[in-house]
Amino acid sequence: MKKQIFLIAIMLLQTWQASDACTSAVISGRVTPDGRPILWKNRDTSTDQNCVKYFAGEKYPFVAVVNSASDNPRSIWIGTNSTGFSVMNTLSYNLKDEKDESGSKNNGTLMLRALEICTSVEDFRVFLDTLSKPMFVSANFGVIDARGGAAYFEVDDTSAVMFDVNDPKIAPFGYLTRTNFSFSGFPEKGAGYIRYQQADLMFHNASATGEITPEWIFNELSRAFINPMLGINLKDGSYNRPKTNGWFVEQDFIPRRSSTCSVAIQGVKPDENPELTTMWTIIGYPPVTPAIPVWVAGGEKLPSLLTRDSKTAASPLCDKALTLRNKVYSYTRGNKDFEKYFHWELLFNNAGTGYIQKVKEIEDAVFTATQPILEKWRKEGKIRHNELQELYDNQNAFVTRTYLATFGL
């Protein structure tokens, strides 16, 4: 009986690892073209429905990505507060001994609490020290702040190891990436090594050429179907018709069926107003969803496409994205591994009509409309709330109208 329970636990752990397979990066402002740090997370989870929510917070208000199921969530998965402090996580599977069953149930609640009370990387370090032990966490936490701070913390039940992204000895190229293992954990254990290899290579090259922006991250990582171990890039045309039948098997790509959002929080320079911190947010399967920006300064009046609809308990854009994702992963015969097969031709094709290609056109328009307004706010040193609401309304209308015309949704 004990053996059966153990085997079931291992199977559940393997399923957990397969679905919670996030990819992330912390980028120092010293290697971005505009000098602003970036915090990025591509979230993988078995919880399909995500949304963006505003929280009043005990000390500081904040916006964050949450699961849509509850109207009063007590866990967040990436977010930023009014002081410019931002935090995210990836689960780590090698910080604890395999026999340790203490779990990581507090990852999301820890981040929610941090956004309520922290203003800086240093605050977060002290916050971790003050938590009662064991913390019931096992994660790589990435943080940036309005003072230029940028760091990862590899945290288990009793301790935290900090990696300062501004320290050239720790991050010589001005960035660090993490998937589902920790450098301070058990060697050769954990998960996500192939995804880490690809993300690190992309950031390494881009850090030398000043290309790292939220737009670049979404296009080159959140929607990249590259497996460095196999030496393949599905976008090179070799995997489309007429060379193949247009289907492929999901294996160690950064975007996966379980990818439910991708967020790049663009921080501020040390002399800028923290309220200008911008959370570029893809809600839903990233290959079929454009990024929409949000700011804490907007309060509860966030873009309706990203927020929870009380009637459906889902965000409208996430719902649309799931419809398209399910068309991509439409093979359902059998009861094992069928979700690995995806229709690549629908996502990307030589005719330029794939979902990825169409979504990029939509997203490019969103960035083009947003950048002049954001630059104006940066010059003025503040967000003008009437302009912010007008921007939200325009982008809601544009994305809704374009999705209907392009995808019939």
Side-chain angles (χ1 to χ4, degrees):
M1 184 64 179
K2 288 183 178 180
K3 184 177 181 181
Q4 287 178 328
I5 293 173
F6 175 75
L7 289 174
I8 291 171
I10 292 296
M11 290 170 64
L12 288 173
L13 178 61
Q14 289 172 341
T15 301
W16 180 40
Q17 289 181 347
S19 61
D20 294 90
C22 305
T23 308
S24 70
V26 178
I27 303 104
S28 167
R30 63 190 173 96
V31 295
T32 59
D34 61 6
R36 297 178 178 91
I38 299 174
L39 186 69
W40 170 62
K41 175 178 177 177
N42 197 84
R43 186 188 184 202
D44 283 77
T45 175
S46 57
T47 304
D48 284 341
Q49 293 286 358
N50 288 214
C51 65
V52 177
K53 184 175 175 61
Y54 172 83
F55 294 79
E58 180 182 306
K59 291 181 68 175
Y60 308 111
F62 60 94
V63 291
V65 171
V66 299
N67 297 339
S68 297
S70 171
D71 189 39
N72 186 33
R74 299 309 302 163
S75 293
I76 70 98
W77 306 111
I78 181 170
T80 184
N81 71 18
S82 60
T83 75
F85 172 80
S86 309
V87 62
M88 61 83 182
N89 80 308
T90 69
L91 283 171
S92 178
Y93 301 113
N94 72 329
L95 283 171
K96 298 182 181 182
D97 187 276
E98 292 176 352
K99 297 178 182 178
D100 189 334
E101 299 178 356
S102 58
S104 55
K105 62 182 180 180
N106 288 339
N107 287 347
T109 54
L110 183 152
M111 290 190 289
L112 186 149
R113 182 59 177 162
L115 286 172
E116 288 189 308
I117 63 174
C118 292
T119 66
S120 65
V121 171
E122 176 60 18
D123 278 358
F124 187 71
R125 186 192 66 78
V126 173
F127 166 66
L128 292 174
D129 285 343
T130 61
L131 292 176
S132 60
K133 309 300 188 291
M135 292 183 282
F136 298 108
V137 298
S138 181
N140 305 309
F141 292 99
V143 293
I144 61 172
D145 63 36
R147 306 169 194 176
Y152 267 111
F153 291 81
E154 298 183 349
V155 186
D156 61 19
D157 282 343
T158 59
S159 63
V161 179
M162 177 180 171
F163 295 79
D164 187 348
V165 183
N166 286 315
D167 186 341
K169 294 181 180 179
I170 295 174
F173 304 112
Y175 73 90
L176 290 175
T177 63
R178 291 291 186 272
T179 53
N180 302 109
F181 68 94
S182 299
F183 282 81
S184 60
F186 293 96
E188 305 299 321
K189 304 295 183 181
Y193 284 89
I194 305 301
R195 283 181 289 110
Y196 170 84
Q197 180 183 345
Q198 182 59 33
D200 191 68
L201 174 63
M202 298 298 289
F203 280 115
H204 177 84
N205 294 337
S207 66
T209 54
E211 295 179 80
I212 303 177
T213 64
E215 304 103 296
W216 178 88
I217 290 173
F218 295 141
N219 288 314
E220 299 300 325
L221 291 160
S222 303
R223 303 186 186 107
F225 286 80
I226 302 173
N227 184 313
M229 190 70 178
L230 300 178
I232 60 173
N233 180 353
L234 297 192
K235 290 183 179 179
D236 70 9
S238 301
Y239 305 91
N240 288 101
R241 294 172 180 167
K243 293 184 179 181
T244 72
N245 66 357
W247 285 77
F248 208 79
V249 177
E250 178 187 290
Q251 184 63 49
D252 288 321
F253 298 120
I254 290 173
R256 305 147 69 91
R257 186 185 186 280
S258 57
S259 296
T260 58
C261 77
S262 190
V263 178
I265 299 177
Q266 188 175 31
V268 295
K269 297 177 182 179
D271 60 345
E272 289 181 325
N273 187 339
E275 75 173 9
L276 292 164
T277 299
T278 306
M279 192 167 93
W280 295 95
T281 308
I282 293 175
I283 281 292
Y285 181 54
V288 303
T289 321
I292 295 177
V294 297
W295 293 267
V296 180
E300 293 184 346
K301 295 182 179 180
L302 293 166
S304 59
L305 281 174
L306 304 181
T307 56
R308 183 180 187 270
D309 185 306
S310 59
K311 294 180 180 178
T312 64
S315 74
L317 190 53
C318 193
D319 242 9
K320 297 177 193 295
L322 286 172
T323 298
L324 294 177
R325 186 204 67 180
N326 291 341
K327 290 183 179 180
V328 174
Y329 288 84
S330 59
Y331 183 82
T332 58
R333 185 169 293 164
N335 58 5
K336 184 178 181 181
D337 292 334
F338 67 85
E339 291 182 342
K340 289 286 187 180
Y341 291 91
F342 66 99
H343 197 175
W344 172 242
E345 190 79 8
L346 276 181
L347 282 176
F348 191 95
N349 57 57
N350 293 326
T353 60
Y355 295 162
I356 290 175
Q357 293 148 308
K358 291 299 183 182
V359 162
K360 186 179 185 303
E361 294 175 5
I362 299 172
E363 185 173 274
D364 286 348
V366 171
F367 273 103
T368 298
T370 303
Q371 291 295 1
I373 298 171
L374 183 53
E375 286 304 318
K376 175 177 176 288
W377 293 340
R378 286 167 175 165
K379 289 179 182 179
E380 295 176 349
K382 64 179 180 179
I383 291 176
R384 294 192 176 274
H385 290 261
N386 62 321
E387 295 176 346
L388 174 58
Q389 291 307 317
E390 184 180 3
L391 178 63
Y392 282 168
D393 291 342
N394 289 341
Q395 292 188 348
N396 266 325
F398 168 73
V399 174
T400 299
R401 182 175 66 250
T402 310
Y403 254 69
L404 179 62
T406 306
F407 305 118
L409 297 174

